[in-house]
Amino acid sequence: MRKPVIAGNWKMYKTIEETVAFVEKIRPVADDAGHCEVIVAPPFTALAAAAAAARGSAIKVAAQNCHWDKEGAHTGDISTGMLRDAGCTHVIIGHSERRHDCGETDEQVNRKVKAALAAGLTPIVCVGEMLAEREKGETEKVLEGQFRLGLAGLTPADFSRIIIAYEPVWAIGTGRTATPEMAAEAHRFLRGLARLEFGESEAEGIRILYGGSVKPDNIGALMAQEEIDGALVGGASLKVDSFTALVNYPRP
Ligand code: PGA
């Protein structure tokens, strides 16, 4: 019922030329992958080129961040309207690298989510605990705070348009993946929050992606979990072969 999503978060990698070459190679892969949605998130400089190269294919293009204002004196920022103009359909919001590198807060995440929805973009909203928080038994408390503050004020209809990504910070770029059971437990918890906050059908419909050291050799076990609706992948999304293997993850 929930269509899986395989999304590549390229972070600060790839030039325009590298982006176009990659998108051209994965066009047929995405077009054949009726079982899932395929999204790539290049850096800002390559978004328009990615969208042009993806035109007419099943590939969707996401930005990695946005500002909440429509326009204004915000040096170095990019608005949701500009992302639409560049050909984006999705935007990653609240990635842990932005929370930690740039001090992004849940309140800012919330403003960005609302701005993205207003512009007709699909926000991919990231949540996840740090290692120390998990070790102190605070995972659920952290997830609940990020969920409630980040999604405050959304209507059930708004909520049904977003995608959530559960990305435990200790698993990102470390090669240390959450076990499929650990990830599923966090997803179940998030879906429970969605049920309380937005309603039964919204909770059943929301797609929750797992992110954190997803690779071709572990995606099958993750996707076998009924709670896991896809993956947000960094490192392993950068090479055509491994992204192809992720899109074509083992299915029963
Ligand atoms: P990773 O990154 O796959 O390299 O761990 C995931 C992410 O940050 O979205």
Side-chain angles (χ1 to χ4, degrees):
M1 188 185 81
R2 298 188 291 264
K3 189 163 190 185
V5 175
I6 303 297
N9 173 13
W10 293 359
K11 310 193 177 185
M12 202 169 70
Y13 291 96
K14 293 195 193 294
T15 61
I16 293 172
E17 195 181 328
E18 290 164 347
T19 295
V20 170
F22 185 102
V23 169
E24 279 169 358
K25 289 208 185 88
I26 59 153
R27 276 181 71 110
V29 176
D31 287 346
D32 286 347
H35 61 283
C36 69
E37 287 178 18
V38 177
I39 302 173
V40 293
F44 284 133
T45 47
L47 288 174
R55 194 162 297 136
S57 79
I59 301 168
K60 301 274 187 357
V61 177
Q64 300 173 17
N65 181 35
C66 64
H67 196 274
W68 51 82
D69 278 348
K70 283 203 170 87
E71 56 185 10
H74 301 295
T75 303
D77 272 310
I78 307 282
S79 74
T80 52
M82 292 167 183
L83 297 181
R84 285 292 302 256
D85 187 42
C88 293
T89 51
H90 293 67
V91 56
I92 298 170
I93 296 177
H95 189 278
S96 66
E97 284 153 14
R98 294 206 55 82
R99 292 177 187 261
H100 302 130
D101 295 356
C102 312
E104 200 163 293
T105 64
D106 290 319
E107 288 72 19
Q108 291 173 334
V109 168
N110 185 242
R111 295 175 82 174
K112 292 178 184 199
V113 169
K114 288 175 178 162
L117 288 168
L121 292 163
T122 300
I124 303 174
V125 186
C126 303
V127 296
E129 80 288 358
M130 293 190 287
L131 184 59
E133 294 165 336
R134 176 164 282 268
E135 285 173 344
K136 279 191 275 171
E138 292 176 353
T139 299
E140 293 190 350
K141 189 178 111 193
V142 170
L143 295 181
E144 179 161 357
Q146 292 173 340
F147 182 98
R148 288 198 191 281
L149 294 171
L151 304 179
L154 265 60
T155 64
D158 291 335
F159 181 74
S160 65
R161 291 174 48 210
I162 76 169
I163 295 173
I164 293 176
Y166 168 61
E167 299 206 307
V169 178
W170 47 270
I172 296 178
T174 58
R176 188 175 161 191
T177 332
T179 63
E181 293 72 24
M182 274 160 95
E185 195 185 332
H187 286 215
R188 207 169 297 118
F189 177 71
L190 289 164
R191 206 176 297 285
L193 292 175
R195 192 168 290 119
L196 288 174
E197 200 83 13
F198 298 104
E200 181 64 37
S201 66
E202 288 75 9
E204 280 310 307
I206 187 83
R207 286 168 307 170
I208 307 178
L209 318 185
Y210 168 77
S213 297
V214 177
K215 311 278 178 224
D217 64 4
N218 61 25
I219 192 168
L222 289 160
M223 292 302 291
Q225 293 285 334
E226 129 97 40
E227 273 297 336
I228 300 182
D229 306 313
L232 180 58
V233 188
S237 75
L238 291 168
K239 294 244 159 61
V240 170
D241 287 355
S242 89
F243 191 65
T244 300
L246 291 165
V247 168
N248 292 320
Y249 60 85
R251 300 183 297 286

